[in-house]
Amino acid sequence: QFSEYGLHIHFSEGVVKNSIFRFNNDCTRLGNSKIVFINNLFEKNTGKALNFTSCDITFEENVVRENREGIFVFEKKGNPIIKNNNIYNNFKNIKTGDFFKEELVLEENFIYPPDSIEGKIKVKFSKEPYFGILPDDKDAYLIFSVKTDGFVDGKGLLKDDKFYVPSFDGNIYEIDLKRLDLRKFHMGDFSDSSPIIYQNRLFYQCWNGKIAAIDLEKAEKIFEASFDKSLKDDHRNPSPVIYGTKLVFLSPGGSLVIVDAENLKELYRAKLDGEFRATPLIYLDSIYIPSTDGSIYRLNPESFKISQVLVDASFYASPVMYKDKIVLVDKMGKIFFLNDNMDVFKIIHTDRAFRYQSPSYYRNNLIIASLDGYLTEFNDEKIISQRRYEDIFTSTAVIYKDFAVLTSFYGHIYFVNKDKLIKVKDLGEIQFMPTLYKDIIITGSRANRVYGVKIW
């Protein structure tokens, strides 16, 4: 950082891997050398990123962005191999010097904009950027980091390029993802459940048993109701869901409250057995609600009729749909498959321990990560594979292209597919499912921060 020439090398050999070059004049000045560059980041340099003459350069799986020149050849090329790099948003992505009389040939690279090239240059263009080739350092990925005064343990809500996330400092933070503007709304107590928006109203629930709504234009509270308080020795409120104009709230104390989001009136209230930690599932004209005591309730949101089945399980995680089947995973690793009448017709035993994570649809199967670090892939017939990582997982995976994205108790984000593992480290303990916004992963952590992580 902040050098005149980051690497000034002549008549030498070497390997440069997993490094970051930023805020320099020229990152490199290389001549008559044999240098391998793999998995590096070159960004925000006022001069040239890769600058060489007469070299046997191997330049693979690097990111070159926001420099004056990305790739620059001064006089003679030597024997360069330049492939599988992301070269984008430089003033000139590729350029040759005034004394260069040869032809520079690049193998396939992602280059954007593609016409930001000057000189006699032949390029193969990749249509998509290469994913997962940045150094293993969070500063290479971070787009933004918003500090709060408490744990961020709740999954956020994405709405119209804005992200709403609760914090243990008693506020909901609104992050404008286009302008990175910030507002916050005071709730009055902790929350770790996702808020919900209807029209211009933000609804939420807190540990103190309050249900409330905020007018986002006026930034003032317009509704409040109460139900039983959350248990203070444990956390995880289920998030509300919306069916038409009906908002369904659940408490760890076993209460069910339905509010009309349009008229701000309470429509229904009931006290059920067990405690609720999982956000319910809406499927067809029913809402399915699992409980920690093994009860599974089916609510008709029109008539408010409730039916119930009881299984030998304890559910902390939300149900999901798979091939027209309702799938629930209990904390001891049993996977239940039910039809829409709540008949159990299949149980698979994983021998793993789970808490708040739900399965995710991935490559025509389901995947789920466990408290003891296993990523299990399964379908409605059997377990397909189990892979072990030295970590603790409590959150549901999101899927980006061919990658499963997992956040961990140790503060890492994993990007996993059958061939590759990428890990962004040191973000602070993460317990909730991240949110995907375009090519950004947004996650809160117990480092009292909300992170935006660019994933290519």
Side-chain angles (χ1 to χ4, degrees), residues 8 63 107-108 112 115 137 210 225 244 294 368 390 395 401:
H8 196 169
V63 170
E107 297 185 41
E108 188 174 85
Y112 183 85
D115 58 355
D137 184 286
K210 298 294 185 182
I368 189 169
E390 296 296 327
S395 64
K401 296 185 177 179

Side-chain angles (χ1 to χ4, degrees), residues 43-65:
E43 69 171 2
K44 303 182 189 304
N45 299 284
T46 58
K48 307 170 183 68
L50 179 64
N51 173 24
F52 68 94
T53 188
S54 300
C55 287
D56 291 352
I57 293 286
T58 299
F59 196 78
E60 294 185 39
E61 297 194 346
N62 302 284
V63 170
V64 183
R65 63 188 183 197

Side-chain angles (χ1 to χ4, degrees), residues 31 61 92 100 107 118 161 188 208 247 314 324 345 366 424:
E61 297 194 346
K92 284 292 181 183
F100 187 80
E107 297 185 41
E118 183 178 311
D161 297 314
N208 62 5
L247 281 164
S314 183
D324 297 323
F345 61 87
L366 293 172
V424 182

